[in-house]
Amino acid sequence: MRKSIWQKDAGQLKFENLSEKMSTDVLIIGGGITGITTAYNFIDEKHSIILLEADKFLTGATCKSTGKLTYLQDLKYQDIYNVFDFDTAKLYYEAQKDAIRLVKKIVKDNDIECNLTKTEAVTFTKDNKEIKKFDKEEEILNLLGVKYYINSTNIKDEDIKRMILVKNTYVFNPVKYLKGLLKAIKKSSNIKTYENSRVTKIKKEDNYYVAYANGQEVKAKKIVVACSYPFFTIPGFIPFKTYMEKSYITATKVDETKDICGITSNYPTISFRYHNDKNDNYFIYLNNSSKICDKLNYKKNYDECVNKAKDITGKTPNYKWTNMDVVTNDFMPLIGRISEEDKNAFIATGYNTWGMTNGTIAGKILYDLIRDRKNKYEKVFDPTRSMNIIKFKNFLTNTMLSNTKAYTFNLIKKNPSWYKDKACVTKVDGKRVGVYFDKDGNKHTVSNICPHLKCFLTFNEVDKTWDCPCHGSRFDIDGNVVKGPACYSIKIDEAK
């Protein structure tokens, strides 16, 4: 699989695999920015903490992001205003600003070298139809008291019809940042960290929870599910509140950098930023974003992103990778108690492609809730918040129709033209299977049904994986889980 530019900085931090039965005050499941930040907040406190990562640390969704820390997030505030109200949009804005302040403080307190750089951030469009939306966003920004500009000396493109720019945002290297937090956590006496420890089930017993990983049990008084997409459906009903979006990203060496990052207001998204790494400068470019049920020809998507980056820079990208984001139907993250009945079970997901700030503020919210403290953001991010007509409409369009589309496509057209002779979907003994032929002609046969919620899988020619176009699970050619929410393999003798 392709690696992001950040993963070259992961280094050799060593963590054990969970190998024995344990108990703890708080169990945190997921070693991305949310889980690590939550654990970091408990350093040297009385609570005992266990942090479990399904794979290796510094390989997940956080480490495949573009690494932006900004409160100007496309036209987010009018989206929130339209679904909720101005007060909710204001609290979301304040949460993003607080998250940036928290990152800056953590970097300073721990002397973390993570290429934290102050930069301009711009939202722009080349579509005249978007101009009215910019008028609305400016109206809300004025009410929020945000100082913004409508042009930039760092962008010269006559095709741009409108832009909004702010000057006090940041970019950073998320892997170096998390690496600094993990080093601090490792020195703490009350926090234990384990990798390659995938949780497959959680059970509630009396006044504690039992999580199962690597054939072991972990008992916890309180539990935090901070993996990018939860591996369970009930409680929380996350598959009904969200959908998945996939993006393609490149990093190309360039002669110089500029202190600006940007994103388009309309879909599919285009996003860019610059990165200075010692003596090397990079232009990081994201495009071809779509719901994961769309654009299933992965090689074509990669090629289009690479070719566009070459058009901009005149050079072949040095890195290319993909990332998936959980997007909510009401534009607000889901952070807090999973349900009203489970007061000691918490969740954090649905960051709507803005994981660096939302994952950071989630770590603070969860820390406060676990300690039974009030947090000013707990109500607006509450995962149990009520439905309204706009949310229901988005649920029908983004979730139900998308999943139905993916299921129907793979049912009717199980062997699209781009599979060629490299992969096929067929039936063996009445069961639907996926077959891949490697470069040596060896045959790899797996179940073609995702064990999460039984969607059919699509072959990813670039990464050599079987991918779920409904909820984003991924499996290698031999059926092993590469990415959740699925917990079980699709090996023929093990498929569930």
Side-chain angles (χ1 to χ4, degrees), residues 40-41 69 97-112 116 170 177 181 360 364:
Y40 171 84
N41 287 326
L69 293 162
K97 296 280 284 189
D98 278 349
I100 295 170
R101 283 191 285 266
L102 284 169
V103 171
K104 290 170 63 179
K105 184 177 187 304
I106 290 171
V107 168
K108 182 178 179 181
D109 290 348
N110 296 276
D111 194 24
I112 300 173
L116 182 66
Y170 293 80
Y177 175 71
L181 267 65
T360 298
K364 181 61 169 66

Side-chain angles (χ1 to χ4, degrees), residues 124-137:
F124 66 97
T125 186
K126 297 182 179 182
D127 186 352
N128 281 318
K129 295 178 182 178
E130 292 285 295
I131 289 178
K132 287 185 178 180
K133 293 182 181 179
F134 278 75
D135 291 339
K136 181 65 175 179
E137 195 74 4

Side-chain angles (χ1 to χ4, degrees), residues 449-481:
I449 300 174
C450 181
H452 175 231
L453 288 177
K454 308 304 179 184
C455 291
F456 297 139
L457 303 174
T458 303
F459 186 67
N460 181 333
E461 178 186 350
V462 178
D463 295 325
K464 304 298 185 291
T465 56
W466 290 97
D467 296 0
C468 174
C470 294
H471 306 106
S473 297
R474 307 181 76 187
F475 308 84
D476 67 22
I477 56 174
D478 294 312
N480 301 300
V481 179

Side-chain angles (χ1 to χ4, degrees), residues 242-254:
T242 63
Y243 63 96
M244 298 292 293
E245 182 176 299
K246 188 170 189 175
S247 299
Y248 293 79
I249 311 169
T250 59
T252 308
K253 284 187 180 180
V254 292

Side-chain angles (χ1 to χ4, degrees), residues 239-303:
F240 301 98
K241 298 176 180 178
T242 63
Y243 63 96
M244 298 292 293
E245 182 176 299
K246 188 170 189 175
S247 299
Y248 293 79
I249 311 169
T250 59
T252 308
K253 284 187 180 180
V254 292
D255 295 331
E256 62 180 2
T257 62
K258 298 179 180 180
D259 292 331
I260 190 168
C261 65
I263 192 168
T264 53
S265 61
N266 47 328
Y267 199 73
T269 303
I270 294 173
S271 171
F272 72 89
R273 61 159 289 193
Y274 292 87
H275 171 60
N276 176 262
D277 184 21
K278 298 178 181 177
N279 297 320
D280 293 324
N281 300 315
Y282 290 92
F283 176 73
I284 298 174
Y285 178 77
L286 175 154
N287 83 342
N288 239 342
S289 59
S290 68
K291 297 173 185 175
I292 60 171
C293 66
D294 297 327
K295 297 187 177 183
L296 298 178
N297 187 339
Y298 302 109
K299 185 177 185 305
K300 180 182 178 183
N301 300 334
Y302 261 121
D303 289 346

